Amino acid sequence: MRATVMFGAGDVRIENVADARIIEATDAVVIVSRACICGSDLWPYKTMEQSDTGRRMGHEAIGVVAAVGANVRTIETGDVVIMPFAYSDGSCVFCHDGLLTSSIHGGFFGTGVMDGAQAEALRVPLADGTLFALPVGKDDALMPSLLTLSDVMGTGHHAAVAAKVAPGKTAAVVGDGAVGLCGVIAARRLDAGRIIILGRHPDRIALAKEFGATDVVSQRGDEAVERVRELTGGFGAHSVLECVGLEGSMNTAIAIARPGGAVGRVGVPQDETMPASRPAFYNNVTVSGGPAPVRAYIEELLPDIVEGRIEPGRVFDRVVPLDKVPDGYRAMNERETIKVMVKN
Ligand SMILES: [Zn+2]
């Protein structure tokens, strides 16, 4: 079968690899019908050291179950399933707490340890705890939005939850990528009174407004901080969704949180240490967040998609076949597109 392999920065290839197959009795094999290129895939795309073996890429997918191991109970061959970016046993103490990304037997797809979803098929460990069977066919018109439940919509929602978005309060979203845009949807869903998006790309800002953003701040750094303060009576936002992961974006996020406010961070941090420790301390700003337990959020978010209240699939502005995935990386890296869908 064919799969996406990254061999180094800027070096993504479609390779012939061994067919996905059942190894453990709790595995399933999923034929991928749609996958994505993620903003987080761009970090290795920019920085990965050249490797002879490469890294299988992709952690977001919808597909059809082709085979299940002998101990799989709830997932059946033929099910149309969402594959969240993390696998989880669904039965440990952290899964019961809803923190599936900390599952004792869990891990992440497309990391080098586990195979990736930008492929024709993949092996999914712990199928019962990981996969979510959908009540629709694989060509349903809602597929783009359903696909976002494998990562970006769940991640945007997690940012909003971690930032304690509440009815009538002000939320600010740092980052206008797919996760930031889904963060706008999530803040709106949780009835924020005002939603400020920090971003500069006209197409993304237009979509953010359609998703519910009420104010746009296109400045950067100190000027952005000043502008948000102006918009919020000098105090800052109650809730800040940090959807980038860079030092500058985290500094901005903490600087625009009002005293006693909260920052929910879901951008994968690119630094070992957390910036803006002092302002966070002196303003009693809660800093929370991490990898989103998106599997746990599917049940809550799914009805809003099925019943048409939210349309996060609009973040996909380019669709490519598997063969064109390398060009999809290039396009996303050059900000030619917001998010690329891979359709098999
Ligand atoms: Zn992702």
Side-chain angles (χ1 to χ4, degrees):
M1 67 170 205
R2 289 170 307 145
T4 303
V5 185
M6 186 179 288
F7 289 92
D11 184 2
V12 175
R13 304 178 215 163
I14 306 303
E15 298 278 289
N16 284 314
V17 300
D19 283 349
R21 62 183 179 93
I22 304 284
I23 294 175
E24 304 283 342
T26 46
D27 289 349
V29 169
V30 173
I31 305 290
V32 176
S33 41
R34 291 166 201 251
C36 316
I37 301 174
C38 186
S40 63
D41 295 334
L42 297 179
W43 297 125
Y45 188 74
K46 290 182 209 295
T47 60
M48 184 177 158
E49 295 212 6
Q50 204 66 25
S51 133
D52 292 337
T53 45
R55 165 174 158 186
R56 301 270 284 273
M57 299 299 295
H59 54 256
E60 303 153 273
I62 283 181
V64 180
V65 176
V68 295
N71 292 346
V72 174
R73 301 276 170 258
T74 58
I75 295 294
E76 295 175 12
T77 302
D79 280 351
V80 175
V81 291
I82 298 177
M83 186 204 88
F85 65 79
Y87 56 93
S88 48
D89 56 42
S91 55
C92 74
V93 58
F94 297 112
C95 287
H96 282 301
D97 286 347
L99 195 58
L100 282 72
T101 43
S102 293
S103 179
I104 291 173
H105 303 103
F108 300 93
F109 291 104
T111 48
V113 180
M114 194 56 64
D115 288 344
Q118 292 158 9
E120 287 183 280
L122 91 163
R123 174 176 87 94
V124 174
L126 303 166
D128 285 329
T130 302
L131 297 173
F132 187 99
L134 287 168
V136 297
K138 77 178 176 70
D139 294 316
D140 194 277
L142 294 173
M143 266 314 148
S145 286
L146 294 170
L147 182 56
T148 67
L149 295 178
S150 67
D151 187 349
V152 288
M153 185 59 223
T155 296
H157 177 68
H158 189 56
V161 170
K164 303 179 184 178
V165 171
K169 306 287 191 200
T170 297
V173 179
V174 179
D176 59 5
V179 171
L181 293 168
C182 288
V184 171
I185 295 177
R188 177 75 195 274
R189 236 189 117 254
L190 296 171
D191 287 327
R194 195 164 183 196
I195 302 169
I196 303 166
I197 177 98
L198 283 77
R200 297 191 305 162
H201 303 87
D203 52 336
R204 298 164 186 230
I205 294 306
L207 197 49
K209 283 182 177 167
E210 289 183 49
F211 284 162
T214 54
D215 301 87
V216 177
V217 169
S218 52
Q219 293 89 340
R220 303 186 81 167
D222 292 344
E223 286 178 24
V225 173
E226 205 170 301
R227 182 71 191 125
V228 173
R229 293 226 178 102
E230 273 169 29
L231 289 169
T232 52
F235 296 141
H238 299 91
S239 300
V240 182
L241 288 64
E242 199 287 313
C243 304
V244 181
L246 289 171
E247 184 185 4
S249 59
M250 193 62 189
N251 272 319
T252 300
I254 288 174
I256 63 174
R258 69 192 259 146
V263 174
R265 59 189 191 129
V266 293
V268 180
Q270 297 305 300
D271 298 294
E272 281 303 315
T273 52
M274 199 183 299
S277 162
R278 279 218 180 96
F281 176 84
Y282 282 107
N283 288 324
N284 274 280
V285 170
T286 301
V287 179
S288 180
V294 297
R295 174 68 172 74
Y297 292 140
I298 295 176
E299 238 153 296
E300 179 181 349
L301 298 170
L302 184 63
D304 279 16
I305 289 176
V306 172
E307 288 155 33
R309 283 185 292 277
I310 62 173
E311 229 183 324
R314 293 179 66 196
V315 298
F316 295 108
D317 55 354
R318 185 167 299 186
V319 181
V320 301
L322 187 56
D323 286 344
K324 294 286 184 301
V325 163
D327 191 59
Y329 273 84
R330 181 204 55 76
M332 262 181 77
N333 192 47
E334 289 171 12
R335 313 244 171 223
E336 227 175 82
T337 71
I338 303 173
K339 190 167 177 72
V340 174
M341 182 198 296
V342 185
K343 197 172 171 198
N344 285 343

